[in-house]
PDB file of all heavy atoms in Angstrom:
ATOM      1  N   VAL A  74      -7.031 -16.597   5.111  1.00  0.00           N
ATOM      2  CA  VAL A  74      -8.049 -17.407   5.784  1.00  0.00           C
ATOM      3  C   VAL A  74      -8.172 -18.755   5.082  1.00  0.00           C
ATOM      4  O   VAL A  74      -8.261 -19.805   5.740  1.00  0.00           O
ATOM      5  CB  VAL A  74      -9.408 -16.662   5.841  1.00  0.00           C
ATOM      6  CG1 VAL A  74     -10.524 -17.595   6.280  1.00  0.00           C
ATOM      7  CG2 VAL A  74      -9.316 -15.472   6.784  1.00  0.00           C
ATOM      8  N   ILE A  75      -8.150 -18.755   3.762  1.00  0.00           N
ATOM      9  CA  ILE A  75      -8.230 -20.014   3.014  1.00  0.00           C
ATOM     10  C   ILE A  75      -7.031 -20.903   3.320  1.00  0.00           C
ATOM     11  O   ILE A  75      -7.185 -22.105   3.560  1.00  0.00           O
ATOM     12  CB  ILE A  75      -8.356 -19.735   1.492  1.00  0.00           C
ATOM     13  CG1 ILE A  75      -9.728 -19.122   1.194  1.00  0.00           C
ATOM     14  CG2 ILE A  75      -8.138 -21.003   0.676  1.00  0.00           C
ATOM     15  CD1 ILE A  75      -9.870 -18.533  -0.190  1.00  0.00           C
ATOM     16  N   SER A  77      -5.278 -20.797   6.046  1.00  0.00           N
ATOM     17  CA  SER A  77      -5.467 -21.229   7.436  1.00  0.00           C
ATOM     18  C   SER A  77      -6.447 -22.393   7.517  1.00  0.00           C
ATOM     19  O   SER A  77      -6.242 -23.328   8.291  1.00  0.00           O
ATOM     20  CB  SER A  77      -5.973 -20.073   8.297  1.00  0.00           C
ATOM     21  OG  SER A  77      -5.032 -19.048   8.347  1.00  0.00           O
ATOM     22  N   ILE A  78      -7.496 -22.323   6.717  1.00  0.00           N
ATOM     23  CA  ILE A  78      -8.473 -23.421   6.708  1.00  0.00           C
ATOM     24  C   ILE A  78      -7.822 -24.697   6.196  1.00  0.00           C
ATOM     25  O   ILE A  78      -8.052 -25.784   6.741  1.00  0.00           O
ATOM     26  CB  ILE A  78      -9.708 -23.035   5.857  1.00  0.00           C
ATOM     27  CG1 ILE A  78     -10.529 -21.975   6.592  1.00  0.00           C
ATOM     28  CG2 ILE A  78     -10.565 -24.250   5.531  1.00  0.00           C
ATOM     29  CD1 ILE A  78     -11.634 -21.351   5.758  1.00  0.00           C
ATOM     30  N   ILE A  79      -6.981 -24.586   5.181  1.00  0.00           N
ATOM     31  CA  ILE A  79      -6.290 -25.761   4.642  1.00  0.00           C
ATOM     32  C   ILE A  79      -5.327 -26.341   5.674  1.00  0.00           C
ATOM     33  O   ILE A  79      -5.283 -27.552   5.893  1.00  0.00           O
ATOM     34  CB  ILE A  79      -5.545 -25.402   3.335  1.00  0.00           C
ATOM     35  CG1 ILE A  79      -6.556 -25.085   2.234  1.00  0.00           C
ATOM     36  CG2 ILE A  79      -4.610 -26.529   2.909  1.00  0.00           C
ATOM     37  CD1 ILE A  79      -5.956 -24.451   0.992  1.00  0.00           C
ATOM     38  N   LEU A  80      -4.567 -25.473   6.341  1.00  0.00           N
ATOM     39  CA  LEU A  80      -3.547 -25.941   7.285  1.00  0.00           C
ATOM     40  C   LEU A  80      -4.111 -26.305   8.657  1.00  0.00           C
ATOM     41  O   LEU A  80      -3.596 -27.207   9.318  1.00  0.00           O
ATOM     42  CB  LEU A  80      -2.469 -24.870   7.440  1.00  0.00           C
ATOM     43  CG  LEU A  80      -1.625 -24.569   6.203  1.00  0.00           C
ATOM     44  CD1 LEU A  80      -0.661 -23.426   6.483  1.00  0.00           C
ATOM     45  CD2 LEU A  80      -0.870 -25.807   5.753  1.00  0.00           C
ATOM     46  N   TYR A  81      -5.128 -25.570   9.113  1.00  0.00           N
ATOM     47  CA  TYR A  81      -5.652 -25.761  10.469  1.00  0.00           C
ATOM     48  C   TYR A  81      -7.160 -25.972  10.432  1.00  0.00           C
ATOM     49  O   TYR A  81      -7.909 -25.264  11.104  1.00  0.00           O
ATOM     50  CB  TYR A  81      -5.311 -24.545  11.342  1.00  0.00           C
ATOM     51  CG  TYR A  81      -3.840 -24.242  11.393  1.00  0.00           C
ATOM     52  CD1 TYR A  81      -3.306 -23.165  10.680  1.00  0.00           C
ATOM     53  CD2 TYR A  81      -2.978 -25.035  12.134  1.00  0.00           C
ATOM     54  CE1 TYR A  81      -1.953 -22.882  10.714  1.00  0.00           C
ATOM     55  CE2 TYR A  81      -1.625 -24.759  12.176  1.00  0.00           C
ATOM     56  CZ  TYR A  81      -1.119 -23.691  11.472  1.00  0.00           C
ATOM     57  OH  TYR A  81       0.227 -23.422  11.503  1.00  0.00           O
ATOM     58  N   LYS A  82      -7.588 -26.942   9.648  1.00  0.00           N
ATOM     59  CA  LYS A  82      -9.014 -27.184   9.443  1.00  0.00           C
ATOM     60  C   LYS A  82      -9.753 -27.375  10.767  1.00  0.00           C
ATOM     61  O   LYS A  82     -10.836 -26.830  10.977  1.00  0.00           O
ATOM     62  CB  LYS A  82      -9.197 -28.414   8.563  1.00  0.00           C
ATOM     63  CG  LYS A  82     -10.601 -28.627   8.085  1.00  0.00           C
ATOM     64  CD  LYS A  82     -10.731 -29.876   7.235  1.00  0.00           C
ATOM     65  CE  LYS A  82      -9.791 -29.809   6.065  1.00  0.00           C
ATOM     66  NZ  LYS A  82      -9.861 -30.924   5.158  1.00  0.00           N
ATOM     67  N   ASN A  83      -9.180 -28.139  11.677  1.00  0.00           N
ATOM     68  CA  ASN A  83      -9.861 -28.419  12.945  1.00  0.00           C
ATOM     69  C   ASN A  83     -10.064 -27.166  13.785  1.00  0.00           C
ATOM     70  O   ASN A  83     -11.066 -27.035  14.479  1.00  0.00           O
ATOM     71  CB  ASN A  83      -9.083 -29.465  13.751  1.00  0.00           C
ATOM     72  CG  ASN A  83      -9.083 -30.814  13.067  1.00  0.00           C
ATOM     73  OD1 ASN A  83      -9.965 -31.118  12.264  1.00  0.00           O
ATOM     74  ND2 ASN A  83      -8.081 -31.626  13.368  1.00  0.00           N
ATOM     75  N   LEU A  84      -9.128 -26.226  13.738  1.00  0.00           N
ATOM     76  CA  LEU A  84      -9.252 -24.990  14.509  1.00  0.00           C
ATOM     77  C   LEU A  84     -10.159 -23.980  13.809  1.00  0.00           C
ATOM     78  O   LEU A  84     -11.009 -23.359  14.444  1.00  0.00           O
ATOM     79  CB  LEU A  84      -7.887 -24.349  14.756  1.00  0.00           C
ATOM     80  CG  LEU A  84      -7.914 -22.950  15.389  1.00  0.00           C
ATOM     81  CD1 LEU A  84      -8.491 -23.003  16.803  1.00  0.00           C
ATOM     82  CD2 LEU A  84      -6.552 -22.322  15.382  1.00  0.00           C
ATOM     83  N   MET A  85      -9.993 -23.840  12.511  1.00  0.00           N
ATOM     84  CA  MET A  85     -10.701 -22.783  11.798  1.00  0.00           C
ATOM     85  C   MET A  85     -12.210 -23.017  11.711  1.00  0.00           C
ATOM     86  O   MET A  85     -12.971 -22.074  11.548  1.00  0.00           O
ATOM     87  CB  MET A  85     -10.107 -22.577  10.397  1.00  0.00           C
ATOM     88  CG  MET A  85      -8.693 -22.018  10.421  1.00  0.00           C
ATOM     89  SD  MET A  85      -8.499 -20.504  11.372  1.00  0.00           S
ATOM     90  CE  MET A  85      -9.416 -19.350  10.380  1.00  0.00           C
ATOM     91  N   PHE A  86     -12.643 -24.255  11.822  1.00  0.00           N
ATOM     92  CA  PHE A  86     -14.084 -24.541  11.796  1.00  0.00           C
ATOM     93  C   PHE A  86     -14.670 -24.634  13.199  1.00  0.00           C
ATOM     94  O   PHE A  86     -15.613 -25.381  13.442  1.00  0.00           O
ATOM     95  CB  PHE A  86     -14.376 -25.808  10.985  1.00  0.00           C
ATOM     96  CG  PHE A  86     -14.225 -25.605   9.513  1.00  0.00           C
ATOM     97  CD1 PHE A  86     -13.195 -26.216   8.822  1.00  0.00           C
ATOM     98  CD2 PHE A  86     -15.092 -24.780   8.816  1.00  0.00           C
ATOM     99  CE1 PHE A  86     -13.047 -26.028   7.455  1.00  0.00           C
ATOM    100  CE2 PHE A  86     -14.960 -24.577   7.461  1.00  0.00           C
ATOM    101  CZ  PHE A  86     -13.927 -25.207   6.775  1.00  0.00           C
ATOM    102  N   THR A  87     -14.094 -23.855  14.105  1.00  0.00           N
ATOM    103  CA  THR A  87     -14.628 -23.738  15.461  1.00  0.00           C
ATOM    104  C   THR A  87     -14.976 -22.272  15.705  1.00  0.00           C
ATOM    105  O   THR A  87     -14.629 -21.398  14.904  1.00  0.00           O
ATOM    106  CB  THR A  87     -13.587 -24.178  16.513  1.00  0.00           C
ATOM    107  OG1 THR A  87     -12.472 -23.274  16.474  1.00  0.00           O
ATOM    108  CG2 THR A  87     -13.116 -25.613  16.275  1.00  0.00           C
ATOM    109  N   MET A  88     -15.623 -22.013  16.794  1.00  0.00           N
ATOM    110  CA  MET A  88     -15.951 -20.630  17.152  1.00  0.00           C
ATOM    111  C   MET A  88     -14.670 -19.831  17.395  1.00  0.00           C
ATOM    112  O   MET A  88     -14.588 -18.668  17.033  1.00  0.00           O
ATOM    113  CB  MET A  88     -16.850 -20.631  18.400  1.00  0.00           C
ATOM    114  CG  MET A  88     -17.416 -19.287  18.715  1.00  0.00           C
ATOM    115  SD  MET A  88     -18.520 -18.763  17.409  1.00  0.00           S
ATOM    116  CE  MET A  88     -19.310 -17.412  18.211  1.00  0.00           C
ATOM    117  N   ASN A  89     -13.661 -20.477  17.997  1.00  0.00           N
ATOM    118  CA  ASN A  89     -12.379 -19.799  18.205  1.00  0.00           C
ATOM    119  C   ASN A  89     -11.771 -19.384  16.865  1.00  0.00           C
ATOM    120  O   ASN A  89     -11.258 -18.277  16.727  1.00  0.00           O
ATOM    121  CB  ASN A  89     -11.392 -20.697  18.955  1.00  0.00           C
ATOM    122  CG  ASN A  89     -11.786 -20.925  20.377  1.00  0.00           C
ATOM    123  OD1 ASN A  89     -12.718 -21.678  20.631  1.00  0.00           O
ATOM    124  ND2 ASN A  89     -11.095 -20.305  21.303  1.00  0.00           N
ATOM    125  N   GLY A  90     -11.815 -20.272  15.884  1.00  0.00           N
ATOM    126  CA  GLY A  90     -11.278 -19.957  14.556  1.00  0.00           C
ATOM    127  C   GLY A  90     -11.991 -18.785  13.917  1.00  0.00           C
ATOM    128  O   GLY A  90     -11.362 -17.915  13.307  1.00  0.00           O
ATOM    129  N   LEU A  91     -13.309 -18.746  14.066  1.00  0.00           N
ATOM    130  CA  LEU A  91     -14.080 -17.617  13.532  1.00  0.00           C
ATOM    131  C   LEU A  91     -13.670 -16.316  14.217  1.00  0.00           C
ATOM    132  O   LEU A  91     -13.475 -15.288  13.558  1.00  0.00           O
ATOM    133  CB  LEU A  91     -15.579 -17.866  13.719  1.00  0.00           C
ATOM    134  CG  LEU A  91     -16.498 -16.718  13.314  1.00  0.00           C
ATOM    135  CD1 LEU A  91     -16.408 -16.460  11.813  1.00  0.00           C
ATOM    136  CD2 LEU A  91     -17.929 -17.005  13.738  1.00  0.00           C
ATOM    137  N   LEU A  92     -13.505 -16.353  15.528  1.00  0.00           N
ATOM    138  CA  LEU A  92     -13.095 -15.158  16.272  1.00  0.00           C
ATOM    139  C   LEU A  92     -11.691 -14.705  15.874  1.00  0.00           C
ATOM    140  O   LEU A  92     -11.431 -13.510  15.731  1.00  0.00           O
ATOM    141  CB  LEU A  92     -13.180 -15.398  17.779  1.00  0.00           C
ATOM    142  CG  LEU A  92     -14.586 -15.638  18.338  1.00  0.00           C
ATOM    143  CD1 LEU A  92     -14.512 -15.972  19.822  1.00  0.00           C
ATOM    144  CD2 LEU A  92     -15.494 -14.451  18.092  1.00  0.00           C
ATOM    145  N   TYR A  93     -10.775 -15.679  15.677  1.00  0.00           N
ATOM    146  CA  TYR A  93      -9.428 -15.334  15.207  1.00  0.00           C
ATOM    147  C   TYR A  93      -9.494 -14.652  13.839  1.00  0.00           C
ATOM    148  O   TYR A  93      -8.793 -13.669  13.587  1.00  0.00           O
ATOM    149  CB  TYR A  93      -8.539 -16.576  15.092  1.00  0.00           C
ATOM    150  CG  TYR A  93      -7.984 -17.093  16.390  1.00  0.00           C
ATOM    151  CD1 TYR A  93      -8.121 -18.432  16.740  1.00  0.00           C
ATOM    152  CD2 TYR A  93      -7.289 -16.251  17.265  1.00  0.00           C
ATOM    153  CE1 TYR A  93      -7.591 -18.928  17.913  1.00  0.00           C
ATOM    154  CE2 TYR A  93      -6.759 -16.743  18.447  1.00  0.00           C
ATOM    155  CZ  TYR A  93      -6.919 -18.085  18.761  1.00  0.00           C
ATOM    156  OH  TYR A  93      -6.391 -18.568  19.932  1.00  0.00           O
ATOM    157  N   ALA A  94     -10.321 -15.184  12.953  1.00  0.00           N
ATOM    158  CA  ALA A  94     -10.441 -14.615  11.603  1.00  0.00           C
ATOM    159  C   ALA A  94     -10.994 -13.186  11.659  1.00  0.00           C
ATOM    160  O   ALA A  94     -10.469 -12.285  10.985  1.00  0.00           O
ATOM    161  CB  ALA A  94     -11.322 -15.507  10.736  1.00  0.00           C
ATOM    162  N   PHE A 174     -18.751 -20.239  25.095  1.00  0.00           N
ATOM    163  CA  PHE A 174     -19.073 -19.007  24.375  1.00  0.00           C
ATOM    164  C   PHE A 174     -20.402 -18.454  24.840  1.00  0.00           C
ATOM    165  O   PHE A 174     -21.460 -18.994  24.526  1.00  0.00           O
ATOM    166  CB  PHE A 174     -19.076 -19.261  22.865  1.00  0.00           C
ATOM    167  CG  PHE A 174     -17.743 -19.693  22.361  1.00  0.00           C
ATOM    168  CD1 PHE A 174     -17.424 -21.038  22.264  1.00  0.00           C
ATOM    169  CD2 PHE A 174     -16.785 -18.760  22.037  1.00  0.00           C
ATOM    170  CE1 PHE A 174     -16.187 -21.445  21.826  1.00  0.00           C
ATOM    171  CE2 PHE A 174     -15.537 -19.151  21.594  1.00  0.00           C
ATOM    172  CZ  PHE A 174     -15.236 -20.504  21.488  1.00  0.00           C
TER     173      PHE A 174
END
Side-chain angles (χ1 to χ4, degrees):
V74 169
I75 291 168
S77 297
I78 289 170
I79 292 168
L80 294 176
Y81 304 105
K82 190 181 303 182
N83 294 336
L84 172 65
M85 293 306 292
F86 287 111
T87 65
M88 189 65 167
N89 291 74
L91 175 65
L92 295 175
Y93 282 129
F174 298 93

